[in-house]
Amino acid sequence: MVEGTRIASVEDVPEVGSYLFTAEDAFTNEREVILVRCETEPGIEAWINNCTHENQRLDRGSGAAMRDGEIICPKHGSMFDSCSGECDNGEAAGTTLPGVEIAVEDDGVFLSDDNYTFLRVGGVEDDGGPDSTSHIGF
Ligand code: FES
């Protein structure tokens, strides 16, 4: 039995690209997180969907750009290792993406990080604003 909320099936995470979801952090901020494939166990890692250089989303809603196991920042092109989150090139050199703890079991990916609560698949809904006629009721 896995502790945590199921985020996705393993097969939902693309071989190249990323699977985007939104979680709430300990300060009740909504944070976007990406699931990416990685060669080392357990085969999938989760990173906060923001470049460490500037406030730039890595996955802008249609999957992060990836090449040879690295996530490519769309703004200045720094590349982050999908397994370690580390960057050794470009503007973000010397930094590491903040990670989010997940568990991969059977065919599922679970959010096991005590600092985050799973909210929804997809990104932060930031294009509506307070006056938007959201279909979400409270
Ligand atoms: S914003 Fe990502 S490398 Fe500059």
Side-chain angles (χ1 to χ4, degrees):
M1 191 57 201
V2 188
E3 303 267 325
T5 312
R6 186 182 169 100
I7 306 164
S9 298
V10 167
E11 65 187 28
D12 290 335
V13 182
E15 292 296 332
V16 177
S18 54
Y19 184 94
L20 181 67
F21 70 95
T22 301
E24 184 176 89
D25 70 13
F27 306 101
T28 69
N29 296 312
E30 292 196 2
R31 303 296 304 266
E32 289 187 354
V33 185
I34 52 172
L35 299 176
V36 293
R37 295 275 178 174
C38 154
E39 281 192 351
T40 55
E41 286 296 313
I44 294 173
E45 291 291 340
W47 307 107
I48 292 292
N49 186 33
N50 256 97
C51 185
T52 51
H53 175 224
E54 287 178 5
N55 187 18
Q56 169 65 51
R57 297 160 85 207
L58 300 167
D59 180 337
R60 293 182 286 187
S62 53
M66 287 189 66
R67 189 171 59 219
D68 298 334
E70 296 195 298
I71 307 160
I72 307 168
C73 173
K75 194 159 185 183
H76 303 116
S78 280
M79 296 185 292
F80 298 85
D81 187 287
S82 69
C83 295
S84 68
E86 291 171 3
C87 175
D88 64 1
N89 58 86
E91 301 282 3
T95 66
T96 303
L97 293 173
V100 174
E101 253 180 63
I102 54 160
V104 179
E105 200 161 304
D106 298 330
D107 137 36
V109 185
F110 298 81
L111 181 61
S112 55
D113 196 316
D114 289 340
N115 295 315
Y116 294 94
T117 307
F118 178 80
L119 292 179
R120 73 186 82 87
V121 172
V124 172
E125 290 163 359
D126 56 358
D127 51 2
D131 295 322
S132 84
T133 50
S134 169
H135 59 277
I136 299 169
F138 292 99

Coordinates of all heavy atoms in Angstrom, one line a residue, residues 21-33 48 50 98-100 111 113-120 124:
F21 N 1.2 18.8 -13.1 CA 0.1 18.8 -12.2 C 0.3 20.0 -11.2 O 1.4 20.6 -11.1 CB -0.1 17.5 -11.4 CG 1.0 17.1 -10.5 CD1 0.9 17.4 -9.1 CD2 2.2 16.5 -10.9 CE1 1.8 17.0 -8.2 CE2 3.2 16.1 -10.0 CZ 3.0 16.4 -8.6
T22 N -0.7 20.3 -10.4 CA -0.7 21.4 -9.4 C -0.8 20.8 -8.0 O -1.7 19.9 -7.8 CB -1.7 22.4 -9.7 OG1 -1.6 22.9 -11.1 CG2 -1.7 23.6 -8.8
A23 N 0.0 21.3 -7.1 CA -0.1 20.9 -5.7 C -0.1 22.1 -4.9 O 0.4 23.2 -5.3 CB 1.1 20.0 -5.4
E24 N -0.5 22.0 -3.6 CA -0.5 23.1 -2.7 C 0.6 22.9 -1.7 O 0.8 21.8 -1.2 CB -1.8 23.1 -1.9 CG -2.0 24.3 -1.0 CD -3.3 24.3 -0.3 OE1 -3.5 23.7 0.7 OE2 -4.3 24.9 -0.9
D25 N 1.5 23.9 -1.5 CA 2.6 23.7 -0.6 C 2.2 24.0 0.8 O 1.0 24.3 1.1 CB 3.8 24.6 -1.1 CG 3.6 26.1 -0.9 OD1 2.6 26.5 -0.2 OD2 4.4 26.8 -1.5
A26 N 3.2 24.0 1.7 CA 2.9 24.1 3.1 C 2.3 25.5 3.5 O 1.7 25.7 4.5 CB 4.1 23.9 4.0
F27 N 2.5 26.5 2.6 CA 2.0 27.9 2.8 C 0.8 28.1 2.0 O 0.4 29.3 1.8 CB 3.1 28.8 2.4 CG 4.4 28.6 3.1 CD1 5.5 27.9 2.4 CD2 4.6 28.9 4.4 CE1 6.7 27.6 3.1 CE2 5.8 28.6 5.1 CZ 6.8 28.0 4.4
T28 N 0.1 27.1 1.6 CA -1.1 27.1 0.8 C -1.0 27.8 -0.5 O -1.9 28.3 -1.1 CB -2.4 27.7 1.6 OG1 -2.1 29.1 1.8 CG2 -2.6 27.0 2.9
N29 N 0.3 27.9 -1.1 CA 0.5 28.4 -2.4 C 0.3 27.2 -3.4 O 0.8 26.1 -3.1 CB 1.9 28.9 -2.6 CG 2.1 30.1 -1.7 OD1 1.3 31.0 -1.6 ND2 3.2 30.1 -0.9
E30 N -0.3 27.6 -4.5 CA -0.4 26.5 -5.6 C 0.9 26.5 -6.3 O 1.4 27.5 -6.8 CB -1.6 26.9 -6.5 CG -2.9 26.7 -5.9 CD -4.1 26.6 -6.8 OE1 -3.8 26.7 -8.1 OE2 -5.2 26.5 -6.4
R31 N 1.5 25.3 -6.5 CA 2.7 25.2 -7.2 C 2.6 24.2 -8.3 O 2.0 23.1 -8.1 CB 3.8 24.7 -6.2 CG 4.1 25.5 -5.0 CD 4.6 26.9 -5.3 NE 5.8 26.9 -6.1 CZ 7.0 27.0 -5.6 NH1 7.2 27.0 -4.3 NH2 8.1 27.0 -6.4
E32 N 3.1 24.5 -9.4 CA 3.1 23.5 -10.5 C 4.3 22.6 -10.4 O 5.4 23.0 -10.0 CB 3.2 24.2 -11.9 CG 1.9 25.0 -12.2 CD 2.0 25.6 -13.6 OE1 3.0 25.5 -14.3 OE2 0.9 26.1 -14.0
V33 N 4.0 21.3 -10.7 CA 5.1 20.3 -10.6 C 5.1 19.5 -11.9 O 4.0 19.3 -12.5 CB 4.8 19.3 -9.4 CG1 5.9 18.3 -9.2 CG2 4.6 20.1 -8.1
I48 N 9.7 21.0 -9.3 CA 8.9 22.2 -9.4 C 9.1 22.8 -10.8 O 10.2 22.9 -11.3 CB 9.4 23.2 -8.3 CG1 9.0 22.7 -6.9 CG2 8.8 24.6 -8.5 CD1 7.6 22.7 -6.6
N50 N 9.6 25.4 -12.4 CA 10.1 26.7 -12.6 C 11.6 26.7 -12.8 O 12.3 26.0 -12.0 CB 9.8 27.6 -11.3 CG 8.7 28.5 -11.6 OD1 7.6 28.3 -11.3 ND2 9.0 29.7 -12.2
P98 N 14.2 22.4 -7.4 CA 13.6 21.9 -6.2 C 12.8 20.6 -6.6 O 12.0 20.7 -7.5 CB 12.7 23.0 -5.7 CG 13.1 24.2 -6.5 CD 13.6 23.8 -7.7
G99 N 13.0 19.6 -5.8 CA 12.3 18.3 -6.1 C 11.1 18.2 -5.2 O 10.9 18.8 -4.2
V100 N 10.2 17.3 -5.7 CA 9.0 16.9 -4.9 C 9.1 15.4 -4.8 O 9.3 14.7 -5.8 CB 7.8 17.4 -5.7 CG1 6.5 16.9 -5.0 CG2 7.7 18.9 -5.8
L111 N 2.0 11.1 -5.0 CA 2.6 12.2 -4.3 C 2.8 11.8 -2.9 O 1.9 11.6 -2.1 CB 1.7 13.4 -4.4 CG 2.3 14.7 -3.8 CD1 3.6 15.1 -4.4 CD2 1.3 15.8 -3.9
D113 N 5.1 13.4 -0.8 CA 5.8 14.5 -0.1 C 4.9 15.2 0.9 O 3.8 15.7 0.5 CB 6.3 15.5 -1.2 CG 7.3 16.5 -0.7 OD1 7.2 17.0 0.5 OD2 8.3 16.8 -1.4
D114 N 5.3 15.2 2.2 CA 4.5 15.7 3.2 C 4.2 17.2 3.0 O 3.3 17.8 3.6 CB 5.1 15.5 4.6 CG 5.0 14.0 5.0 OD1 4.2 13.3 4.4 OD2 5.8 13.6 5.8
N115 N 5.1 17.9 2.3 CA 5.0 19.3 2.1 C 4.0 19.8 1.0 O 3.8 20.9 0.9 CB 6.4 19.9 1.8 CG 7.3 19.8 2.9 OD1 7.0 20.0 4.1 ND2 8.5 19.3 2.6
Y116 N 3.5 18.8 0.3 CA 2.6 19.1 -0.8 C 1.3 18.3 -0.7 O 1.3 17.1 -0.4 CB 3.3 18.9 -2.1 CG 4.4 19.8 -2.4 CD1 5.7 19.5 -2.0 CD2 4.2 21.1 -2.9 CE1 6.8 20.3 -2.2 CE2 5.3 22.0 -3.1 CZ 6.6 21.6 -2.7 OH 7.6 22.4 -2.9
T117 N 0.2 18.9 -1.2 CA -1.1 18.2 -1.3 C -1.5 18.3 -2.8 O -1.5 19.4 -3.4 CB -2.1 18.9 -0.5 OG1 -1.6 19.1 0.9 CG2 -3.4 18.2 -0.4
F118 N -1.8 17.2 -3.3 CA -2.2 17.1 -4.7 C -3.5 17.9 -4.9 O -4.5 17.7 -4.2 CB -2.4 15.7 -5.2 CG -2.9 15.6 -6.6 CD1 -2.0 15.7 -7.6 CD2 -4.2 15.3 -6.9 CE1 -2.4 15.6 -9.0 CE2 -4.6 15.2 -8.2 CZ -3.7 15.3 -9.2
L119 N -3.6 18.8 -5.9 CA -4.8 19.5 -6.2 C -5.4 19.0 -7.5 O -6.6 18.7 -7.5 CB -4.5 21.0 -6.3 CG -4.1 21.7 -5.0 CD1 -3.9 23.2 -5.3 CD2 -5.2 21.6 -4.0
R120 N -4.7 19.1 -8.6 CA -5.3 18.7 -9.9 C -4.2 18.4 -10.9 O -3.1 18.9 -10.8 CB -6.2 19.8 -10.4 CG -5.5 21.0 -10.9 CD -6.4 22.2 -11.3 NE -6.8 22.9 -10.1 CZ -6.0 24.0 -9.6 NH1 -5.0 24.4 -10.3 NH2 -6.4 24.6 -8.5
V124 N -1.5 25.7 -12.8 CA -2.3 26.7 -12.0 C -3.2 27.5 -12.9 O -2.7 27.9 -14.0 CB -1.3 27.6 -11.3 CG1 -2.0 28.8 -10.6 CG2 -0.4 26.9 -10.3

